[in-house]
Amino acid sequence: MAENLNLLTSTQEVIKEALNKLGYDEAMYELLKEPLRLLKVRIPVKMDDGTTKVFTGFRAQHSDAVGPTKGGIRFHPDVTEEEVKALSMWMTLKCGIVDLPYGGGKGGIVCDPRQMSMGELERLSRGYVRAVSQIVGPTKDIPAPDVFTNAQIMAWMMDEYSRMDEFNSPGFITGKPIVLGGSQGRDRATAEGVTIVIQEAAKKRGIDIKGARVVIQGFGNAGSFLAKFMSDLGAKVIGISDAYGALYDPEGLDIDYLLDRRDSFGTVTTLFESTITNKELLELDCDILVPAAIENQITAENAHNIKAQIVVEAANGPTTAEATKILTERGILLVPDVLASAGGVTVSYFEWVQNNQGYYWSKEEVREKLHKKMVDAFENVYNTAQSRNINMRLAAYMVGVRRTAEASRFRGWV
């Protein structure tokens, strides 16, 4: 709980600093420091054993000044109101950074999907849509997958919304199966976006990706795709890790072999005897370090020992505020999470656009459009950081919050 509150207050602090740098007054911060709307719902679900269990769910809409709100729905036992609020604010920033006509939204249900049957998950998913139906929709708030939710859950939710609306509404939600109006390339979009910003960051530091030594913490969805992409580009992935430990080979790991052996939770290190710790992994001598696991991994304690020239955050909040300061002072290029992981929401936007026009793009078209969005966003943030002599995180928050602040001002809200 304290962690989530900390996430909310730390997000508010950087937003405040960004708005100050942009010349906005206290009133704008007062408007943007919390979501415009937060709905808390109770969802009764008939369980397989015949009992009824009541679940708590949330939907936060940070700001709809720019357009409809957009953001994932997570199913997790630790979901809290504070976390959902903070993550909706992050989504506003991400949408601003990649120049999408959205504000940020986020949803969550307090549950443990790993302990539930498919039938129970379906009834919970449909119950959530009925509970929040008044504030969501293709022109109001567009959900997407997040932690422990997937294309199947999105399909159930889309079907429930379409039944209530009495016509097919694929644009209500993104991250759907292709056959129900999903977009090509959505499943790998986050990792592809991270790969693009790694390439751009490497150019700025004069590092050739071919032969560059890369360390990736985390081997889940983002980390494993990322390891494959980097390896295909000719980089040497010398270290990877999962929840149980890390693997290291200075000559480069055989990524295809590891991908074949990992289980559905991204676990692979348990198959090896000679492993190192996650702590040792972060401090390996490498060119590019990518934390793609959980928050608060690079802290004031280990920031002085990071040997990479570039750190790219594929996870949410892996570097603390103190560590950001230390890395920047040491001349390490830190690419923040709100920029690096914006590929997912970008392709979600493409999916929504395709749903609205009823015309679908090829995988090549999606990749080409994603590449342009991510390169433009990286350049914008990098140039802001250089011209104002600030770190990339503050620059990203400035770029991210500017659209929403401008739109709020033009609307006459502030």
Side-chain angles (χ1 to χ4, degrees), residues 36-60:
L36 284 178
R37 264 173 233 102
L38 177 78
L39 184 62
K40 181 179 180 179
V41 294
R42 303 282 283 151
I43 310 154
V45 175
K46 188 78 94 213
M47 305 304 277
D48 290 347
D49 64 3
T51 61
T52 296
K53 191 171 174 188
V54 182
F55 294 87
T56 299
F58 303 98
R59 187 71 188 172

mmCIF file of all heavy atoms in Angstrom, residues 36-60:
data_model
loop_
_atom_site.group_PDB
_atom_site.id
_atom_site.type_symbol
_atom_site.label_atom_id
_atom_site.label_comp_id
_atom_site.label_asym_id
_atom_site.label_seq_id
_atom_site.Cartn_x
_atom_site.Cartn_y
_atom_site.Cartn_z
ATOM 1 N N LEU A 36 -9.474 13.007 -13.142
ATOM 2 C CA LEU A 36 -10.758 13.728 -13.163
ATOM 3 C C LEU A 36 -11.868 12.858 -12.590
ATOM 4 O O LEU A 36 -12.792 13.341 -11.964
ATOM 5 C CB LEU A 36 -11.150 14.084 -14.610
ATOM 6 C CG LEU A 36 -10.430 15.233 -15.303
ATOM 7 C CD1 LEU A 36 -10.947 15.365 -16.730
ATOM 8 C CD2 LEU A 36 -10.651 16.542 -14.552
ATOM 9 N N ARG A 37 -11.771 11.556 -12.867
ATOM 10 C CA ARG A 37 -12.811 10.624 -12.444
ATOM 11 C C ARG A 37 -12.195 9.363 -11.892
ATOM 12 O O ARG A 37 -11.206 8.871 -12.434
ATOM 13 C CB ARG A 37 -13.664 10.200 -13.656
ATOM 14 C CG ARG A 37 -14.920 10.955 -13.855
ATOM 15 C CD ARG A 37 -15.602 10.582 -15.177
ATOM 16 N NE ARG A 37 -15.841 11.829 -15.909
ATOM 17 C CZ ARG A 37 -15.089 12.237 -16.909
ATOM 18 N NH1 ARG A 37 -14.095 11.506 -17.338
ATOM 19 N NH2 ARG A 37 -15.356 13.372 -17.492
ATOM 20 N N LEU A 38 -12.800 8.828 -10.847
ATOM 21 C CA LEU A 38 -12.392 7.515 -10.342
ATOM 22 C C LEU A 38 -13.654 6.774 -9.939
ATOM 23 O O LEU A 38 -14.404 7.234 -9.077
ATOM 24 C CB LEU A 38 -11.451 7.638 -9.138
ATOM 25 C CG LEU A 38 -11.062 6.269 -8.556
ATOM 26 C CD1 LEU A 38 -9.999 5.596 -9.409
ATOM 27 C CD2 LEU A 38 -10.566 6.407 -7.131
ATOM 28 N N LEU A 39 -13.904 5.652 -10.592
ATOM 29 C CA LEU A 39 -15.095 4.863 -10.288
ATOM 30 C C LEU A 39 -14.670 3.598 -9.545
ATOM 31 O O LEU A 39 -13.764 2.894 -9.997
ATOM 32 C CB LEU A 39 -15.815 4.496 -11.592
ATOM 33 C CG LEU A 39 -17.145 3.739 -11.470
ATOM 34 C CD1 LEU A 39 -18.178 4.573 -10.728
ATOM 35 C CD2 LEU A 39 -17.679 3.381 -12.858
ATOM 36 N N LYS A 40 -15.291 3.355 -8.400
ATOM 37 C CA LYS A 40 -15.035 2.127 -7.645
ATOM 38 C C LYS A 40 -16.292 1.280 -7.748
ATOM 39 O O LYS A 40 -17.396 1.774 -7.503
ATOM 40 C CB LYS A 40 -14.734 2.461 -6.176
ATOM 41 C CG LYS A 40 -14.435 1.253 -5.308
ATOM 42 C CD LYS A 40 -14.115 1.690 -3.883
ATOM 43 C CE LYS A 40 -13.817 0.486 -2.998
ATOM 44 N NZ LYS A 40 -13.490 0.895 -1.618
ATOM 45 N N VAL A 41 -16.137 0.023 -8.155
ATOM 46 C CA VAL A 41 -17.321 -0.821 -8.376
ATOM 47 C C VAL A 41 -17.213 -2.131 -7.587
ATOM 48 O O VAL A 41 -16.117 -2.557 -7.216
ATOM 49 C CB VAL A 41 -17.510 -1.151 -9.883
ATOM 50 C CG1 VAL A 41 -17.827 0.104 -10.673
ATOM 51 C CG2 VAL A 41 -16.276 -1.845 -10.468
ATOM 52 N N ARG A 42 -18.378 -2.742 -7.319
ATOM 53 C CA ARG A 42 -18.437 -4.057 -6.684
ATOM 54 C C ARG A 42 -19.075 -5.011 -7.688
ATOM 55 O O ARG A 42 -20.135 -4.723 -8.254
ATOM 56 C CB ARG A 42 -19.276 -3.986 -5.409
ATOM 57 C CG ARG A 42 -18.770 -2.965 -4.405
ATOM 58 C CD ARG A 42 -17.560 -3.451 -3.619
ATOM 59 N NE ARG A 42 -17.951 -4.389 -2.586
ATOM 60 C CZ ARG A 42 -17.171 -5.375 -2.132
ATOM 61 N NH1 ARG A 42 -16.001 -5.570 -2.649
ATOM 62 N NH2 ARG A 42 -17.591 -6.168 -1.176
ATOM 63 N N ILE A 43 -18.399 -6.153 -7.920
ATOM 64 C CA ILE A 43 -18.829 -7.069 -8.983
ATOM 65 C C ILE A 43 -19.156 -8.437 -8.387
ATOM 66 O O ILE A 43 -18.257 -9.175 -7.972
ATOM 67 C CB ILE A 43 -17.708 -7.235 -10.034
ATOM 68 C CG1 ILE A 43 -17.195 -5.861 -10.497
ATOM 69 C CG2 ILE A 43 -18.174 -8.051 -11.225
ATOM 70 C CD1 ILE A 43 -15.753 -5.881 -10.993
ATOM 71 N N PRO A 44 -20.460 -8.796 -8.313
ATOM 72 C CA PRO A 44 -20.808 -10.138 -7.818
ATOM 73 C C PRO A 44 -20.588 -11.179 -8.914
ATOM 74 O O PRO A 44 -21.007 -10.978 -10.061
ATOM 75 C CB PRO A 44 -22.300 -10.009 -7.485
ATOM 76 C CG PRO A 44 -22.796 -8.875 -8.318
ATOM 77 C CD PRO A 44 -21.635 -7.998 -8.667
ATOM 78 N N VAL A 45 -19.895 -12.261 -8.552
ATOM 79 C CA VAL A 45 -19.607 -13.318 -9.541
ATOM 80 C C VAL A 45 -20.015 -14.676 -8.963
ATOM 81 O O VAL A 45 -19.646 -15.019 -7.840
ATOM 82 C CB VAL A 45 -18.102 -13.349 -9.901
ATOM 83 C CG1 VAL A 45 -17.790 -14.523 -10.825
ATOM 84 C CG2 VAL A 45 -17.678 -12.039 -10.555
ATOM 85 N N LYS A 46 -20.794 -15.412 -9.743
ATOM 86 C CA LYS A 46 -21.179 -16.771 -9.344
ATOM 87 C C LYS A 46 -19.974 -17.673 -9.598
ATOM 88 O O LYS A 46 -19.514 -17.812 -10.736
ATOM 89 C CB LYS A 46 -22.383 -17.228 -10.170
ATOM 90 C CG LYS A 46 -22.991 -18.542 -9.731
ATOM 91 C CD LYS A 46 -23.875 -18.401 -8.492
ATOM 92 C CE LYS A 46 -25.329 -18.202 -8.878
ATOM 93 N NZ LYS A 46 -26.063 -17.367 -7.990
ATOM 94 N N MET A 47 -19.429 -18.279 -8.528
ATOM 95 C CA MET A 47 -18.247 -19.127 -8.651
ATOM 96 C C MET A 47 -18.663 -20.549 -9.052
ATOM 97 O O MET A 47 -19.844 -20.922 -8.962
ATOM 98 C CB MET A 47 -17.463 -19.141 -7.333
ATOM 99 C CG MET A 47 -17.088 -17.743 -6.827
ATOM 100 S SD MET A 47 -16.135 -16.738 -8.006
ATOM 101 C CE MET A 47 -14.474 -17.361 -7.679
ATOM 102 N N ASP A 48 -17.689 -21.343 -9.477
ATOM 103 C CA ASP A 48 -17.982 -22.700 -9.956
ATOM 104 C C ASP A 48 -18.624 -23.585 -8.887
ATOM 105 O O ASP A 48 -19.365 -24.511 -9.200
ATOM 106 C CB ASP A 48 -16.695 -23.374 -10.471
ATOM 107 C CG ASP A 48 -16.203 -22.735 -11.772
ATOM 108 O OD1 ASP A 48 -16.972 -21.966 -12.377
ATOM 109 O OD2 ASP A 48 -15.054 -23.009 -12.179
ATOM 110 N N ASP A 49 -18.320 -23.288 -7.604
ATOM 111 C CA ASP A 49 -18.881 -24.143 -6.538
ATOM 112 C C ASP A 49 -20.280 -23.701 -6.105
ATOM 113 O O ASP A 49 -20.828 -24.207 -5.128
ATOM 114 C CB ASP A 49 -17.931 -24.175 -5.332
ATOM 115 C CG ASP A 49 -17.756 -22.801 -4.673
ATOM 116 O OD1 ASP A 49 -18.435 -21.833 -5.130
ATOM 117 O OD2 ASP A 49 -16.947 -22.683 -3.746
ATOM 118 N N GLY A 50 -20.856 -22.744 -6.842
ATOM 119 C CA GLY A 50 -22.223 -22.311 -6.544
ATOM 120 C C GLY A 50 -22.327 -21.110 -5.621
ATOM 121 O O GLY A 50 -23.393 -20.510 -5.496
ATOM 122 N N THR A 51 -21.222 -20.736 -4.970
ATOM 123 C CA THR A 51 -21.247 -19.555 -4.090
ATOM 124 C C THR A 51 -21.104 -18.282 -4.921
ATOM 125 O O THR A 51 -20.682 -18.334 -6.081
ATOM 126 C CB THR A 51 -20.088 -19.603 -3.067
ATOM 127 O OG1 THR A 51 -18.849 -19.597 -3.796
ATOM 128 C CG2 THR A 51 -20.147 -20.841 -2.197
ATOM 129 N N THR A 52 -21.436 -17.157 -4.311
ATOM 130 C CA THR A 52 -21.242 -15.867 -4.980
ATOM 131 C C THR A 52 -20.127 -15.121 -4.262
ATOM 132 O O THR A 52 -20.141 -15.007 -3.024
ATOM 133 C CB THR A 52 -22.528 -15.029 -4.948
ATOM 134 O OG1 THR A 52 -23.533 -15.724 -5.696
ATOM 135 C CG2 THR A 52 -22.315 -13.649 -5.583
ATOM 136 N N LYS A 53 -19.158 -14.633 -5.038
ATOM 137 C CA LYS A 53 -18.062 -13.854 -4.454
ATOM 138 C C LYS A 53 -18.145 -12.436 -5.030
ATOM 139 O O LYS A 53 -18.422 -12.260 -6.215
ATOM 140 C CB LYS A 53 -16.732 -14.515 -4.812
ATOM 141 C CG LYS A 53 -15.559 -13.951 -4.046
ATOM 142 C CD LYS A 53 -14.305 -14.792 -4.265
ATOM 143 C CE LYS A 53 -13.133 -14.087 -3.597
ATOM 144 N NZ LYS A 53 -11.853 -14.692 -3.898
ATOM 145 N N VAL A 54 -17.933 -11.440 -4.172
ATOM 146 C CA VAL A 54 -18.023 -10.052 -4.640
ATOM 147 C C VAL A 54 -16.606 -9.463 -4.746
ATOM 148 O O VAL A 54 -15.851 -9.451 -3.778
ATOM 149 C CB VAL A 54 -18.891 -9.200 -3.693
ATOM 150 C CG1 VAL A 54 -19.011 -7.774 -4.233
ATOM 151 C CG2 VAL A 54 -20.285 -9.822 -3.549
ATOM 152 N N PHE A 55 -16.263 -9.008 -5.949
ATOM 153 C CA PHE A 55 -14.935 -8.445 -6.219
ATOM 154 C C PHE A 55 -15.000 -6.914 -6.281
ATOM 155 O O PHE A 55 -16.024 -6.349 -6.665
ATOM 156 C CB PHE A 55 -14.400 -8.967 -7.557
ATOM 157 C CG PHE A 55 -14.121 -10.443 -7.571
ATOM 158 C CD1 PHE A 55 -15.126 -11.352 -7.894
ATOM 159 C CD2 PHE A 55 -12.853 -10.932 -7.264
ATOM 160 C CE1 PHE A 55 -14.875 -12.722 -7.910
ATOM 161 C CE2 PHE A 55 -12.590 -12.295 -7.277
ATOM 162 C CZ PHE A 55 -13.600 -13.190 -7.595
ATOM 163 N N THR A 56 -13.885 -6.264 -5.943
ATOM 164 C CA THR A 56 -13.791 -4.804 -6.042
ATOM 165 C C THR A 56 -12.989 -4.440 -7.291
ATOM 166 O O THR A 56 -11.919 -5.020 -7.547
ATOM 167 C CB THR A 56 -13.078 -4.217 -4.798
ATOM 168 O OG1 THR A 56 -13.847 -4.552 -3.648
ATOM 169 C CG2 THR A 56 -12.962 -2.699 -4.893
ATOM 170 N N GLY A 57 -13.524 -3.487 -8.067
ATOM 171 C CA GLY A 57 -12.827 -3.030 -9.267
ATOM 172 C C GLY A 57 -12.746 -1.513 -9.301
ATOM 173 O O GLY A 57 -13.472 -0.818 -8.575
ATOM 174 N N PHE A 58 -11.833 -1.001 -10.137
ATOM 175 C CA PHE A 58 -11.650 0.449 -10.271
ATOM 176 C C PHE A 58 -11.502 0.822 -11.748
ATOM 177 O O PHE A 58 -11.040 0.018 -12.553
ATOM 178 C CB PHE A 58 -10.356 0.914 -9.568
ATOM 179 C CG PHE A 58 -10.273 0.565 -8.106
ATOM 180 C CD1 PHE A 58 -9.568 -0.559 -7.692
ATOM 181 C CD2 PHE A 58 -10.896 1.360 -7.154
ATOM 182 C CE1 PHE A 58 -9.482 -0.890 -6.350
ATOM 183 C CE2 PHE A 58 -10.814 1.045 -5.804
ATOM 184 C CZ PHE A 58 -10.105 -0.086 -5.401
ATOM 185 N N ARG A 59 -11.863 2.054 -12.062
ATOM 186 C CA ARG A 59 -11.493 2.644 -13.360
ATOM 187 C C ARG A 59 -11.187 4.112 -13.109
ATOM 188 O O ARG A 59 -12.034 4.862 -12.610
ATOM 189 C CB ARG A 59 -12.614 2.496 -14.396
ATOM 190 C CG ARG A 59 -12.209 2.942 -15.814
ATOM 191 C CD ARG A 59 -11.227 1.992 -16.463
ATOM 192 N NE ARG A 59 -10.695 2.509 -17.731
ATOM 193 C CZ ARG A 59 -9.710 1.936 -18.420
ATOM 194 N NH1 ARG A 59 -9.140 0.821 -17.980
ATOM 195 N NH2 ARG A 59 -9.269 2.450 -19.535
ATOM 196 N N ALA A 60 -9.946 4.518 -13.422
ATOM 197 C CA ALA A 60 -9.540 5.921 -13.263
ATOM 198 C C ALA A 60 -9.389 6.546 -14.642
ATOM 199 O O ALA A 60 -8.859 5.929 -15.561
ATOM 200 C CB ALA A 60 -8.207 5.995 -12.509
#
